mmCIF file of all heavy atoms in Angstrom:
data_model
loop_
_atom_site.group_PDB
_atom_site.id
_atom_site.type_symbol
_atom_site.label_atom_id
_atom_site.label_comp_id
_atom_site.label_asym_id
_atom_site.label_seq_id
_atom_site.Cartn_x
_atom_site.Cartn_y
_atom_site.Cartn_z
ATOM 1 N N ALA A 106 -3.807 -13.074 -5.857
ATOM 2 C CA ALA A 106 -3.773 -14.300 -5.042
ATOM 3 C C ALA A 106 -4.471 -15.450 -5.749
ATOM 4 O O ALA A 106 -4.536 -16.548 -5.212
ATOM 5 C CB ALA A 106 -4.409 -14.039 -3.678
ATOM 6 N N GLU A 107 -5.009 -15.192 -6.940
ATOM 7 C CA GLU A 107 -5.646 -16.244 -7.743
ATOM 8 C C GLU A 107 -6.738 -16.961 -6.953
ATOM 9 O O GLU A 107 -6.760 -18.190 -6.867
ATOM 10 C CB GLU A 107 -4.596 -17.255 -8.224
ATOM 11 C CG GLU A 107 -3.654 -16.701 -9.257
ATOM 12 C CD GLU A 107 -4.319 -16.485 -10.619
ATOM 13 O OE1 GLU A 107 -5.489 -16.903 -10.769
ATOM 14 O OE2 GLU A 107 -3.689 -15.889 -11.504
ATOM 15 N N ILE A 108 -7.632 -16.197 -6.389
ATOM 16 C CA ILE A 108 -8.667 -16.849 -5.595
ATOM 17 C C ILE A 108 -9.703 -17.522 -6.496
ATOM 18 O O ILE A 108 -10.556 -18.250 -6.012
ATOM 19 C CB ILE A 108 -9.374 -15.862 -4.649
ATOM 20 C CG1 ILE A 108 -10.250 -14.889 -5.417
ATOM 21 C CG2 ILE A 108 -8.395 -15.151 -3.770
ATOM 22 C CD1 ILE A 108 -11.057 -14.016 -4.488
ATOM 23 N N ARG A 109 -9.591 -17.308 -7.803
ATOM 24 C CA ARG A 109 -10.510 -18.021 -8.701
ATOM 25 C C ARG A 109 -10.222 -19.509 -8.697
ATOM 26 O O ARG A 109 -11.028 -20.308 -9.163
ATOM 27 C CB ARG A 109 -10.403 -17.473 -10.118
ATOM 28 C CG ARG A 109 -9.015 -17.578 -10.695
ATOM 29 C CD ARG A 109 -8.937 -17.041 -12.117
ATOM 30 N NE ARG A 109 -7.548 -16.917 -12.527
ATOM 31 C CZ ARG A 109 -7.145 -16.685 -13.763
ATOM 32 N NH1 ARG A 109 -8.038 -16.545 -14.730
ATOM 33 N NH2 ARG A 109 -5.869 -16.566 -14.053
ATOM 34 N N THR A 110 -9.041 -19.905 -8.178
ATOM 35 C CA THR A 110 -8.729 -21.337 -8.110
ATOM 36 C C THR A 110 -9.176 -21.949 -6.784
ATOM 37 O O THR A 110 -8.803 -23.066 -6.462
ATOM 38 C CB THR A 110 -7.212 -21.563 -8.264
ATOM 39 O OG1 THR A 110 -6.547 -20.981 -7.140
ATOM 40 C CG2 THR A 110 -6.694 -20.949 -9.527
ATOM 41 N N ARG A 111 -9.965 -21.207 -6.018
ATOM 42 C CA ARG A 111 -10.400 -21.701 -4.713
ATOM 43 C C ARG A 111 -11.922 -21.704 -4.662
ATOM 44 O O ARG A 111 -12.599 -21.129 -5.507
ATOM 45 C CB ARG A 111 -9.832 -20.808 -3.607
ATOM 46 C CG ARG A 111 -8.329 -20.822 -3.597
ATOM 47 C CD ARG A 111 -7.737 -19.621 -2.890
ATOM 48 N NE ARG A 111 -8.067 -19.591 -1.462
ATOM 49 C CZ ARG A 111 -7.565 -18.714 -0.599
ATOM 50 N NH1 ARG A 111 -6.724 -17.802 -1.035
ATOM 51 N NH2 ARG A 111 -7.893 -18.737 0.662
ATOM 52 N N GLY A 112 -12.465 -22.358 -3.655
ATOM 53 C CA GLY A 112 -13.905 -22.379 -3.466
ATOM 54 C C GLY A 112 -14.590 -23.425 -4.335
ATOM 55 O O GLY A 112 -13.947 -24.110 -5.123
ATOM 56 N N PRO A 113 -15.909 -23.541 -4.175
ATOM 57 C CA PRO A 113 -16.674 -24.589 -4.878
ATOM 58 C C PRO A 113 -16.683 -24.424 -6.386
ATOM 59 O O PRO A 113 -16.867 -25.400 -7.111
ATOM 60 C CB PRO A 113 -18.077 -24.458 -4.286
ATOM 61 C CG PRO A 113 -18.140 -23.069 -3.732
ATOM 62 C CD PRO A 113 -16.751 -22.729 -3.294
ATOM 63 N N LEU A 114 -16.474 -23.221 -6.886
ATOM 64 C CA LEU A 114 -16.469 -23.005 -8.335
ATOM 65 C C LEU A 114 -15.043 -22.769 -8.833
ATOM 66 O O LEU A 114 -14.821 -21.997 -9.768
ATOM 67 C CB LEU A 114 -17.350 -21.809 -8.702
ATOM 68 C CG LEU A 114 -18.854 -21.967 -8.426
ATOM 69 C CD1 LEU A 114 -19.607 -20.733 -8.867
ATOM 70 C CD2 LEU A 114 -19.390 -23.204 -9.122
ATOM 71 N N ALA A 115 -14.096 -23.444 -8.200
ATOM 72 C CA ALA A 115 -12.694 -23.219 -8.523
ATOM 73 C C ALA A 115 -12.418 -23.484 -9.996
ATOM 74 O O ALA A 115 -12.883 -24.474 -10.568
ATOM 75 C CB ALA A 115 -11.812 -24.120 -7.662
ATOM 76 N N VAL A 116 -11.647 -22.587 -10.587
ATOM 77 C CA VAL A 116 -11.234 -22.775 -11.968
ATOM 78 C C VAL A 116 -9.991 -23.665 -11.967
ATOM 79 O O VAL A 116 -9.058 -23.420 -11.214
ATOM 80 C CB VAL A 116 -10.902 -21.407 -12.613
ATOM 81 C CG1 VAL A 116 -10.395 -21.602 -14.027
ATOM 82 C CG2 VAL A 116 -12.114 -20.504 -12.571
ATOM 83 N N PRO A 117 -9.964 -24.717 -12.761
ATOM 84 C CA PRO A 117 -8.775 -25.576 -12.788
ATOM 85 C C PRO A 117 -7.553 -24.793 -13.256
ATOM 86 O O PRO A 117 -7.658 -23.956 -14.157
ATOM 87 C CB PRO A 117 -9.163 -26.667 -13.792
ATOM 88 C CG PRO A 117 -10.294 -26.111 -14.579
ATOM 89 C CD PRO A 117 -11.015 -25.178 -13.667
ATOM 90 N N PRO A 118 -6.409 -25.032 -12.654
ATOM 91 C CA PRO A 118 -5.196 -24.260 -12.959
ATOM 92 C C PRO A 118 -4.813 -24.271 -14.431
ATOM 93 O O PRO A 118 -4.238 -23.306 -14.919
ATOM 94 C CB PRO A 118 -4.125 -24.954 -12.102
ATOM 95 C CG PRO A 118 -4.866 -25.621 -11.003
ATOM 96 C CD PRO A 118 -6.185 -26.024 -11.600
ATOM 97 N N GLU A 119 -5.142 -25.353 -15.139
ATOM 98 C CA GLU A 119 -4.732 -25.399 -16.548
ATOM 99 C C GLU A 119 -5.519 -24.396 -17.395
ATOM 100 O O GLU A 119 -5.143 -24.109 -18.525
ATOM 101 C CB GLU A 119 -4.932 -26.821 -17.107
ATOM 102 C CG GLU A 119 -6.365 -27.320 -17.043
ATOM 103 C CD GLU A 119 -6.618 -28.124 -15.771
ATOM 104 O OE1 GLU A 119 -5.883 -27.894 -14.789
ATOM 105 O OE2 GLU A 119 -7.540 -28.952 -15.767
ATOM 106 N N LYS A 120 -6.600 -23.853 -16.824
ATOM 107 C CA LYS A 120 -7.353 -22.832 -17.564
ATOM 108 C C LYS A 120 -6.934 -21.416 -17.165
ATOM 109 O O LYS A 120 -7.575 -20.444 -17.548
ATOM 110 C CB LYS A 120 -8.857 -23.012 -17.310
ATOM 111 C CG LYS A 120 -9.451 -24.215 -18.032
ATOM 112 C CD LYS A 120 -10.954 -24.078 -18.157
ATOM 113 C CE LYS A 120 -11.518 -25.178 -19.046
ATOM 114 N NZ LYS A 120 -12.975 -25.037 -19.243
ATOM 115 N N CYS A 121 -5.891 -21.319 -16.338
ATOM 116 C CA CYS A 121 -5.471 -20.018 -15.826
ATOM 117 C C CYS A 121 -4.168 -19.568 -16.471
ATOM 118 O O CYS A 121 -3.344 -18.917 -15.828
ATOM 119 C CB CYS A 121 -5.304 -20.066 -14.314
ATOM 120 S SG CYS A 121 -6.854 -20.337 -13.441
ATOM 121 N N SER A 122 -3.961 -19.921 -17.705
ATOM 122 C CA SER A 122 -2.732 -19.495 -18.360
ATOM 123 C C SER A 122 -2.717 -17.964 -18.466
ATOM 124 O O SER A 122 -1.662 -17.348 -18.406
ATOM 125 C CB SER A 122 -2.650 -20.117 -19.755
ATOM 126 O OG SER A 122 -3.805 -19.775 -20.502
ATOM 127 N N GLN A 123 -3.890 -17.380 -18.590
ATOM 128 C CA GLN A 123 -3.989 -15.929 -18.682
ATOM 129 C C GLN A 123 -4.368 -15.349 -17.311
ATOM 130 O O GLN A 123 -5.102 -15.968 -16.562
ATOM 131 C CB GLN A 123 -5.048 -15.554 -19.713
ATOM 132 C CG GLN A 123 -5.136 -14.072 -19.955
ATOM 133 C CD GLN A 123 -6.176 -13.723 -21.009
ATOM 134 O OE1 GLN A 123 -6.011 -12.792 -21.754
ATOM 135 N NE2 GLN A 123 -7.267 -14.488 -21.045
ATOM 136 N N ARG A 124 -3.873 -14.173 -17.022
ATOM 137 C CA ARG A 124 -4.226 -13.532 -15.763
ATOM 138 C C ARG A 124 -5.700 -13.118 -15.798
ATOM 139 O O ARG A 124 -6.259 -12.835 -16.861
ATOM 140 C CB ARG A 124 -3.356 -12.296 -15.553
ATOM 141 C CG ARG A 124 -1.887 -12.651 -15.520
ATOM 142 C CD ARG A 124 -1.138 -11.727 -14.620
ATOM 143 N NE ARG A 124 -0.732 -10.508 -15.296
ATOM 144 C CZ ARG A 124 0.075 -9.598 -14.744
ATOM 145 N NH1 ARG A 124 0.535 -9.801 -13.530
ATOM 146 N NH2 ARG A 124 0.410 -8.503 -15.389
#
Side-chain angles (χ1 to χ4, degrees):
Chain A
E107 290 289 353
I108 70 174
R109 59 179 169 169
T110 65
R111 298 159 64 173
L114 295 182
V116 177
E119 60 266 25
K120 286 200 172 183
C121 294
S122 56
Q123 185 179 214
R124 300 212 275 188

